[in-house]
Amino acid sequence: MIMFEKFGQHQPLNRQAERYAREGVPLSLSTLADQVGACCAVLAPLSQRLEAHVLAAERLHGDDTTVPVLARGKTDTGRCWVYVRDDRPFGGKAAPAAMFYYSRDRGGTHPQAHLASYAGLLQADAYGGYGKLYEADRKPGPILEAACWVHARRPFFALADLAQNARRVAQGKPPGVISPIALEGVRRIDALFAIERDINGHSAEQRRAVRQALSAPLVAELEAWMREQRATLSRANDLARAMDYMLKRWAAFTRFIDDGRICLSNNAAERALRGIALGRKSWLFAGSDRGGQRAAAMYSLIVTAKLNDVDPQAWLADVLGRIATHPASRIDDLLPWNWQACRVLQNEAA
Protein backbone atom coordinates (compact mmCIF):
# COMPACT_ATOMS: atom_id res chain seq x y z
CA MET A 1 0.00 0.00 0.00
CA ILE A 2 2.86 2.37 0.81
CA MET A 3 4.47 1.74 -2.59
CA PHE A 4 1.25 2.21 -4.54
CA GLU A 5 0.25 5.32 -2.59
CA LYS A 6 3.65 6.89 -3.23
CA PHE A 7 4.15 6.02 -6.90
CA GLY A 8 0.62 5.29 -8.08
CA GLN A 9 -1.36 7.91 -6.16
CA HIS A 10 1.49 10.44 -5.74
CA GLN A 11 1.17 10.67 -1.96
CA PRO A 12 4.56 11.56 -0.38
CA LEU A 13 5.78 9.53 2.58
CA ASN A 14 5.37 12.35 5.11
CA ARG A 15 1.69 12.64 4.22
CA GLN A 16 1.27 8.88 4.49
CA ALA A 17 3.01 8.85 7.89
CA GLU A 18 0.60 11.52 9.19
CA ARG A 19 -2.42 9.54 8.00
CA TYR A 20 -1.20 6.24 9.49
CA ALA A 21 -0.50 7.99 12.81
CA ARG A 22 -4.06 9.29 12.94
CA GLU A 23 -5.24 5.72 12.41
CA GLY A 24 -3.15 4.50 15.35
CA VAL A 25 -0.24 3.09 13.31
CA PRO A 26 2.80 5.26 14.10
CA LEU A 27 5.47 4.80 11.38
CA SER A 28 8.49 7.08 11.19
CA LEU A 29 9.46 8.68 7.91
CA SER A 30 12.80 6.84 7.94
CA THR A 31 11.02 3.49 8.36
CA LEU A 32 8.79 4.20 5.36
CA ALA A 33 11.80 5.31 3.30
CA ASP A 34 13.65 2.11 4.22
CA GLN A 35 10.66 0.05 3.11
CA VAL A 36 10.53 1.87 -0.23
CA GLY A 37 14.23 1.22 -0.80
CA ALA A 38 13.91 -2.46 0.12
CA CYS A 39 10.90 -2.98 -2.15
CA CYS A 40 12.67 -1.31 -5.08
CA ALA A 41 15.65 -3.61 -4.58
CA VAL A 42 13.43 -6.70 -4.44
CA LEU A 43 11.58 -5.67 -7.61
CA ALA A 44 14.76 -4.83 -9.58
CA PRO A 45 14.77 -8.18 -11.48
CA LEU A 46 11.24 -7.45 -12.73
CA SER A 47 12.32 -3.98 -13.88
CA GLN A 48 15.14 -5.58 -15.88
CA ARG A 49 12.79 -8.06 -17.55
CA LEU A 50 10.33 -5.26 -18.28
CA GLU A 51 13.10 -3.23 -19.92
CA ALA A 52 14.03 -6.19 -22.15
CA HIS A 53 10.39 -6.58 -23.19
CA VAL A 54 10.01 -2.88 -24.07
CA LEU A 55 13.25 -2.70 -26.06
CA ALA A 56 12.27 -5.78 -28.08
CA ALA A 57 9.47 -3.78 -29.72
CA GLU A 58 9.29 -2.99 -33.42
CA ARG A 59 8.12 0.51 -32.56
CA LEU A 60 8.44 2.71 -29.47
CA HIS A 61 6.82 5.92 -28.30
CA GLY A 62 9.25 8.25 -26.52
CA ASP A 63 8.85 11.43 -24.47
CA ASP A 64 10.11 13.15 -21.31
CA THR A 65 8.94 15.58 -18.64
CA THR A 66 10.48 17.65 -15.88
CA VAL A 67 11.08 16.33 -12.36
CA PRO A 68 12.09 18.77 -9.58
CA VAL A 69 15.05 17.34 -7.62
CA LEU A 70 16.18 18.57 -4.21
CA ALA A 71 19.52 20.39 -4.29
CA ARG A 72 21.48 22.54 -1.85
CA GLY A 73 19.15 25.40 -0.95
CA LYS A 74 16.97 24.93 -4.04
CA THR A 75 15.55 22.39 -6.46
CA ASP A 76 17.13 21.43 -9.77
CA THR A 77 15.11 20.41 -12.81
CA GLY A 78 15.72 16.75 -13.64
CA ARG A 79 14.01 14.73 -16.35
CA CYS A 80 11.92 11.61 -16.42
CA TRP A 81 12.01 9.77 -19.76
CA VAL A 82 9.55 7.14 -20.93
CA TYR A 83 9.51 4.61 -23.77
CA VAL A 84 6.20 2.87 -24.38
CA ARG A 85 5.62 -0.36 -26.26
CA ASP A 86 2.04 -0.61 -27.44
CA ASP A 87 1.37 -2.83 -30.45
CA ARG A 88 -2.41 -2.84 -30.05
CA PRO A 89 -3.13 -0.12 -32.68
CA PHE A 90 -1.73 -2.41 -35.41
CA GLY A 91 -3.15 -5.65 -34.02
CA GLY A 92 -0.01 -6.77 -32.21
CA LYS A 93 -0.33 -9.47 -29.55
CA ALA A 94 2.58 -8.42 -27.31
CA ALA A 95 1.64 -6.92 -23.95
CA PRO A 96 1.82 -3.12 -23.70
CA ALA A 97 4.50 -1.83 -21.34
CA ALA A 98 6.31 1.36 -20.34
CA MET A 99 9.92 1.88 -19.26
CA PHE A 100 10.90 5.02 -17.35
CA TYR A 101 14.37 6.47 -16.76
CA TYR A 102 15.58 9.38 -14.65
CA SER A 103 18.36 11.86 -15.37
CA ARG A 104 19.62 15.08 -13.82
CA ASP A 105 19.46 16.98 -17.12
CA ARG A 106 18.02 16.72 -20.63
CA GLY A 107 21.22 15.99 -22.52
CA GLY A 108 20.99 13.95 -25.70
CA THR A 109 23.38 11.38 -24.24
CA HIS A 110 20.53 10.06 -22.09
CA PRO A 111 18.16 8.80 -24.84
CA GLN A 112 21.22 7.56 -26.72
CA ALA A 113 22.15 5.45 -23.67
CA HIS A 114 18.57 4.30 -23.06
CA LEU A 115 18.21 3.08 -26.65
CA ALA A 116 21.80 1.95 -27.21
CA SER A 117 20.67 -1.61 -28.04
CA TYR A 118 17.50 -0.66 -29.91
CA ALA A 119 16.84 -0.51 -33.64
CA GLY A 120 13.39 0.12 -35.06
CA LEU A 121 10.83 2.92 -35.12
CA LEU A 122 10.70 5.77 -32.62
CA GLN A 123 7.66 8.03 -32.38
CA ALA A 124 8.65 11.24 -30.62
CA ASP A 125 8.68 15.01 -30.82
CA ALA A 126 11.40 16.98 -32.60
CA TYR A 127 13.79 17.14 -29.61
CA GLY A 128 17.32 17.61 -30.95
CA GLY A 129 18.81 15.10 -28.54
CA TYR A 130 17.28 12.28 -30.57
CA GLY A 131 19.29 13.33 -33.63
CA LYS A 132 22.15 10.85 -33.29
CA LEU A 133 19.65 8.00 -32.98
CA TYR A 134 18.52 8.63 -36.55
CA GLU A 135 21.97 8.47 -38.17
CA ALA A 136 22.10 5.91 -40.98
CA ASP A 137 25.39 4.33 -39.85
CA ARG A 138 24.30 3.94 -36.23
CA LYS A 139 25.03 0.62 -34.48
CA PRO A 140 23.30 -1.80 -33.87
CA GLY A 141 21.10 -0.36 -36.61
CA PRO A 142 19.19 2.76 -37.59
CA ILE A 143 16.23 4.12 -35.72
CA LEU A 144 13.56 5.53 -38.02
CA GLU A 145 11.89 8.73 -36.90
CA ALA A 146 8.09 8.95 -36.94
CA ALA A 147 6.83 12.44 -36.17
CA CYS A 148 3.73 13.25 -34.12
CA TRP A 149 0.83 14.88 -35.96
CA VAL A 150 -0.73 15.97 -32.65
CA HIS A 151 2.34 18.10 -31.94
CA ALA A 152 2.06 19.56 -35.44
CA ARG A 153 -1.66 20.29 -35.07
CA ARG A 154 -1.39 22.19 -31.77
CA PRO A 155 -0.09 25.54 -33.09
CA PHE A 156 -2.72 25.53 -35.86
CA PHE A 157 -5.41 24.81 -33.28
CA ALA A 158 -4.11 27.58 -31.00
CA LEU A 159 -3.99 30.10 -33.85
CA ALA A 160 -7.49 29.14 -34.93
CA ASP A 161 -8.45 29.98 -31.32
CA LEU A 162 -11.15 27.32 -31.34
CA ALA A 163 -11.06 26.64 -27.60
CA GLN A 164 -11.28 30.32 -26.68
CA ASN A 165 -14.16 30.86 -29.07
CA ALA A 166 -16.02 27.87 -27.63
CA ARG A 167 -15.66 29.40 -24.16
CA ARG A 168 -16.88 32.79 -25.42
CA VAL A 169 -19.94 31.24 -27.05
CA ALA A 170 -20.69 29.22 -23.89
CA GLN A 171 -20.57 32.49 -21.91
CA GLY A 172 -22.99 34.14 -24.31
CA LYS A 173 -20.35 36.40 -25.86
CA PRO A 174 -19.84 36.89 -29.59
CA PRO A 175 -17.11 34.67 -31.10
CA GLY A 176 -13.72 36.20 -31.84
CA VAL A 177 -11.86 36.38 -35.14
CA ILE A 178 -10.45 33.04 -36.29
CA SER A 179 -7.51 32.73 -38.68
CA PRO A 180 -8.93 31.07 -41.82
CA ILE A 181 -5.53 29.59 -42.74
CA ALA A 182 -5.10 28.04 -39.28
CA LEU A 183 -8.66 26.72 -39.36
CA GLU A 184 -8.06 25.13 -42.75
CA GLY A 185 -4.88 23.51 -41.43
CA VAL A 186 -6.82 21.99 -38.53
CA ARG A 187 -9.53 20.75 -40.90
CA ARG A 188 -7.03 19.03 -43.19
CA ILE A 189 -5.14 17.35 -40.35
CA ASP A 190 -8.38 16.24 -38.68
CA ALA A 191 -9.37 14.49 -41.91
CA LEU A 192 -6.32 12.25 -41.49
CA PHE A 193 -7.23 11.44 -37.90
CA ALA A 194 -10.77 10.52 -38.97
CA ILE A 195 -9.30 7.84 -41.26
CA GLU A 196 -7.10 6.57 -38.42
CA ARG A 197 -10.04 6.08 -36.08
CA ASP A 198 -11.60 3.62 -38.52
CA ILE A 199 -8.44 1.47 -38.84
CA ASN A 200 -7.29 1.44 -35.22
CA GLY A 201 -6.61 -2.15 -34.15
CA HIS A 202 -6.39 -3.49 -37.71
CA SER A 203 -3.30 -5.28 -38.94
CA ALA A 204 -0.31 -3.30 -40.20
CA GLU A 205 -1.00 -4.51 -43.76
CA GLN A 206 -4.64 -3.39 -43.65
CA ARG A 207 -3.70 -0.02 -42.19
CA ARG A 208 -1.08 0.55 -44.89
CA ALA A 209 -3.55 -0.32 -47.66
CA VAL A 210 -6.15 2.14 -46.36
CA ARG A 211 -3.55 4.86 -45.91
CA GLN A 212 -2.22 4.37 -49.42
CA ALA A 213 -5.74 4.71 -50.81
CA LEU A 214 -7.20 7.43 -48.57
CA SER A 215 -4.50 9.23 -46.57
CA ALA A 216 -1.78 9.60 -49.22
CA PRO A 217 -3.85 11.93 -51.47
CA LEU A 218 -4.81 14.09 -48.47
CA VAL A 219 -1.19 14.33 -47.35
CA ALA A 220 -0.06 15.34 -50.85
CA GLU A 221 -2.76 18.03 -50.97
CA LEU A 222 -1.78 19.24 -47.47
CA GLU A 223 1.86 19.63 -48.48
CA ALA A 224 0.99 21.55 -51.64
CA TRP A 225 -1.43 23.78 -49.69
CA MET A 226 1.14 24.52 -46.96
CA ARG A 227 3.88 25.38 -49.44
CA GLU A 228 1.50 27.71 -51.27
CA GLN A 229 0.39 29.43 -48.05
CA ARG A 230 3.92 29.54 -46.66
CA ALA A 231 5.08 31.64 -49.61
CA THR A 232 2.63 34.39 -48.58
CA LEU A 233 3.72 34.56 -44.92
CA SER A 234 6.63 36.38 -43.30
CA ARG A 235 9.32 34.39 -41.54
CA ALA A 236 8.23 35.70 -38.12
CA ASN A 237 4.60 34.73 -38.60
CA ASP A 238 3.42 32.07 -36.12
CA LEU A 239 1.68 30.15 -38.87
CA ALA A 240 4.90 30.16 -40.91
CA ARG A 241 6.76 28.61 -37.98
CA ALA A 242 4.06 25.96 -37.58
CA MET A 243 4.33 25.08 -41.26
CA ASP A 244 8.14 25.08 -41.23
CA TYR A 245 8.08 22.66 -38.29
CA MET A 246 6.26 20.16 -40.49
CA LEU A 247 7.85 20.82 -43.86
CA LYS A 248 11.40 20.49 -42.52
CA ARG A 249 10.51 17.04 -41.15
CA TRP A 250 8.17 15.97 -43.94
CA ALA A 251 9.78 12.52 -44.38
CA ALA A 252 9.19 11.75 -40.69
CA PHE A 253 5.61 13.04 -40.84
CA THR A 254 4.70 11.01 -43.93
CA ARG A 255 6.42 7.75 -42.96
CA PHE A 256 3.11 6.43 -41.61
CA ILE A 257 1.72 6.13 -45.14
CA ASP A 258 4.12 3.29 -46.01
CA ASP A 259 4.22 1.63 -42.58
CA GLY A 260 1.04 0.43 -40.88
CA ARG A 261 2.78 0.04 -37.53
CA ILE A 262 3.16 3.78 -37.08
CA CYS A 263 0.54 5.86 -35.28
CA LEU A 264 -0.24 9.46 -36.17
CA SER A 265 0.24 10.61 -32.59
CA ASN A 266 2.65 10.13 -29.71
CA ASN A 267 -0.22 10.10 -27.22
CA ALA A 268 0.81 6.74 -25.76
CA ALA A 269 3.96 8.31 -24.29
CA GLU A 270 2.16 11.45 -23.16
CA ARG A 271 -0.49 9.40 -21.35
CA ALA A 272 2.25 7.43 -19.57
CA LEU A 273 3.76 10.70 -18.28
CA ARG A 274 0.44 12.21 -17.23
CA GLY A 275 0.64 10.83 -13.70
CA ILE A 276 3.98 12.52 -13.09
CA ALA A 277 2.69 15.83 -14.42
CA LEU A 278 -0.36 15.60 -12.15
CA GLY A 279 1.59 14.36 -9.12
CA ARG A 280 4.36 16.98 -9.11
CA LYS A 281 2.23 19.44 -7.15
CA SER A 282 1.64 16.81 -4.48
CA TRP A 283 5.15 15.43 -3.89
CA LEU A 284 6.93 18.70 -4.86
CA PHE A 285 10.35 17.16 -5.62
CA ALA A 286 12.46 14.00 -5.67
CA GLY A 287 14.76 13.88 -2.65
CA SER A 288 17.87 12.82 -4.57
CA ASP A 289 19.13 11.26 -7.78
CA ARG A 290 18.72 7.85 -6.18
CA GLY A 291 15.13 8.74 -5.34
CA GLY A 292 14.54 9.74 -8.94
CA GLN A 293 15.93 6.41 -10.17
CA ARG A 294 13.74 4.47 -7.74
CA ALA A 295 10.71 6.46 -8.84
CA ALA A 296 11.45 5.70 -12.51
CA ALA A 297 11.66 1.97 -11.77
CA MET A 298 8.39 1.98 -9.84
CA TYR A 299 6.59 4.11 -12.42
CA SER A 300 7.64 1.53 -15.02
CA LEU A 301 5.99 -1.30 -13.09
CA ILE A 302 2.85 0.56 -12.01
CA VAL A 303 2.13 2.19 -15.38
CA THR A 304 2.69 -1.16 -17.12
CA ALA A 305 0.21 -2.78 -14.74
CA LYS A 306 -2.37 -0.12 -15.61
CA LEU A 307 -1.73 -0.57 -19.34
CA ASN A 308 -2.64 -4.25 -18.92
CA ASP A 309 -5.77 -3.54 -16.82
CA VAL A 310 -4.09 -4.96 -13.71
CA ASP A 311 -4.78 -3.48 -10.26
CA PRO A 312 -1.27 -2.22 -9.32
CA GLN A 313 -1.80 -2.51 -5.56
CA ALA A 314 -3.13 -6.07 -5.77
CA TRP A 315 -0.24 -7.02 -8.05
CA LEU A 316 2.36 -5.45 -5.75
CA ALA A 317 0.84 -7.11 -2.67
CA ASP A 318 0.97 -10.56 -4.26
CA VAL A 319 4.40 -10.20 -5.88
CA LEU A 320 6.12 -8.71 -2.81
CA GLY A 321 4.61 -11.49 -0.71
CA ARG A 322 6.18 -14.32 -2.71
CA ILE A 323 9.01 -13.03 -4.86
CA ALA A 324 11.63 -14.13 -2.30
CA THR A 325 10.75 -17.81 -2.84
CA HIS A 326 9.81 -17.53 -6.53
CA PRO A 327 12.14 -19.46 -8.91
CA ALA A 328 14.51 -17.07 -10.69
CA SER A 329 14.06 -19.04 -13.91
CA ARG A 330 10.36 -18.13 -13.89
CA ILE A 331 10.65 -14.46 -13.03
CA ASP A 332 8.68 -13.52 -16.16
CA ASP A 333 5.60 -15.16 -14.59
CA LEU A 334 5.43 -12.18 -12.23
CA LEU A 335 5.28 -9.52 -14.93
CA PRO A 336 1.83 -7.87 -14.78
CA TRP A 337 0.35 -9.40 -17.95
CA ASN A 338 1.58 -12.93 -17.14
CA TRP A 339 0.48 -12.55 -13.52
CA GLN A 340 -2.99 -11.55 -14.71
CA ALA A 341 -3.20 -14.54 -17.05
CA CYS A 342 -2.26 -16.91 -14.21
CA ARG A 343 -4.90 -15.39 -11.95
CA VAL A 344 -7.56 -15.89 -14.61
CA LEU A 345 -6.58 -19.56 -15.00
CA GLN A 346 -6.61 -20.06 -11.23
CA ASN A 347 -10.06 -18.49 -10.92
CA GLU A 348 -11.41 -20.65 -13.74
CA ALA A 349 -9.96 -23.78 -12.11
CA ALA A 350 -11.51 -22.81 -8.76
Side-chain angles (χ1 to χ4, degrees), residues 80 99 113 116 132 169 182 222 245 296 310 340:
C80 197
M99 191 67 204
K132 287 188 177 297
V169 171
L222 173 62
Y245 174 83
V310 173
Q340 178 82 318

Side-chain angles (χ1 to χ4, degrees), residues 8 34 40 49 58 83 106 116 122 152 265 280 300 305 311 315 337 346:
D34 288 345
C40 288
R49 296 303 302 145
E58 301 175 45
Y83 303 96
R106 204 193 183 202
L122 177 62
S265 79
R280 278 192 297 248
S300 301
D311 178 352
W315 174 76
W337 57 91
Q346 290 170 2

Side-chain angles (χ1 to χ4, degrees), residues 11-44:
Q11 295 300 309
L13 295 181
N14 63 307
R15 198 170 298 168
Q16 291 192 55
E18 292 170 1
R19 189 177 79 229
Y20 298 145
R22 288 195 299 270
E23 295 174 0
V25 185
L27 293 169
S28 70
L29 195 59
S30 61
T31 297
L32 294 178
D34 288 345
Q35 290 176 341
V36 169
C39 288
C40 288
V42 166
L43 295 170

Side-chain angles (χ1 to χ4, degrees), residues 79-255:
R79 309 298 297 195
C80 197
W81 310 77
V82 68
Y83 303 96
V84 177
R85 175 179 188 172
D86 191 348
D87 300 344
R88 292 173 295 182
F90 60 90
K93 302 302 182 184
M99 191 67 204
F100 288 76
Y101 298 93
Y102 162 84
S103 67
R104 194 72 177 207
D105 56 56
R106 204 193 183 202
T109 55
H110 300 300
Q112 292 160 29
H114 303 156
L115 302 177
S117 63
Y118 179 73
L121 290 161
L122 177 62
Q123 300 211 227
D125 58 24
Y127 166 54
Y130 294 134
K132 287 188 177 297
L133 296 173
Y134 305 137
E135 293 177 352
D137 59 350
R138 175 186 174 271
K139 304 297 182 183
I143 291 180
L144 297 178
E145 178 186 10
C148 175
W149 284 80
V150 169
H151 276 82
R153 180 182 179 275
R154 282 173 188 161
F156 288 96
F157 188 86
L159 292 168
D161 210 20
L162 299 178
Q164 179 64 24
N165 270 281
R167 286 193 292 270
R168 290 177 62 87
V169 171
Q171 294 167 0
K173 299 178 182 178
V177 178
I178 292 177
S179 164
I181 298 177
L183 187 60
E184 177 65 11
V186 172
R187 186 191 69 78
R188 289 175 179 267
I189 294 173
D190 284 353
L192 294 173
F193 278 100
I195 295 171
E196 291 301 304
R197 282 192 286 272
D198 290 336
I199 59 175
N200 187 47
H202 293 202
S203 71
E205 294 76 15
Q206 291 171 324
R207 284 156 62 93
R208 181 182 181 277
V210 172
R211 289 168 173 175
Q212 289 281 331
L214 303 179
S215 301
L218 297 182
V219 169
E221 292 172 7
L222 173 62
E223 181 186 14
W225 174 81
M226 280 200 298
R227 294 193 183 280
E228 178 184 353
Q229 298 299 325
R230 177 64 184 86
T232 68
L233 301 171
S234 68
R235 186 187 312 174
N237 187 286
D238 288 337
L239 270 173
R241 284 196 286 266
M243 292 179 181
D244 287 343
Y245 174 83
M246 295 184 69
L247 293 172
K248 290 177 181 177
R249 303 169 179 84
W250 198 242
F253 274 105
T254 58
R255 184 160 278 128

